[in-house]
Amino acid sequence: MLEKIKELICNYVEADPADITENSRFIEDLGFNSYDFISMLGDLEEEFGVTIDETEITDVHTVGEAVKYLSDLKERQ
């Protein structure tokens, strides 16, 4: 899952997948703006077959948090 998320991230910002870690923060480290982040959420929903709750995703700031959120979400749905 981490590798697929890294691929999706690189569709939105210029980053080397090798430099993206679970501790990478979307805004501060990777340079996401809010529009990019929301757009990526749609890709994540499609890729992983889940429906993301936008109120829950506000607590996701790092790549690792996104991986955990999506893993938990897949188990719930």
Side-chain angles (χ1 to χ4, degrees):
M1 182 178 287
L2 177 60
E3 293 307 313
K4 189 60 188 172
I5 292 173
K6 285 182 181 185
E7 282 180 37
L8 290 173
I9 288 170
C10 292
N11 290 337
Y12 289 92
V13 295
E14 291 201 23
D16 184 339
D19 294 335
I20 300 171
T21 69
E22 289 191 9
N23 293 322
S24 297
R25 297 171 295 176
F26 287 101
I27 296 170
E28 295 89 342
D29 300 328
L30 299 173
F32 269 79
N33 61 40
S34 57
Y35 177 78
D36 291 336
F37 190 74
I38 296 298
S39 297
M40 187 184 70
L41 294 181
D43 289 346
L44 291 170
E45 287 179 323
E46 188 175 308
E47 179 66 35
F48 296 108
V50 296
T51 301
I52 295 172
D53 182 333
E54 290 183 17
T55 59
E56 292 177 352
I57 202 73
T58 58
D59 293 330
V60 173
H61 303 285
T62 68
V63 174
E65 290 170 350
V67 170
K68 180 170 180 2
Y69 172 77
L70 288 168
S71 294
D72 293 348
L73 189 59
K74 282 184 69 127
E75 288 179 20
R76 292 193 315 247
Q77 293 185 355

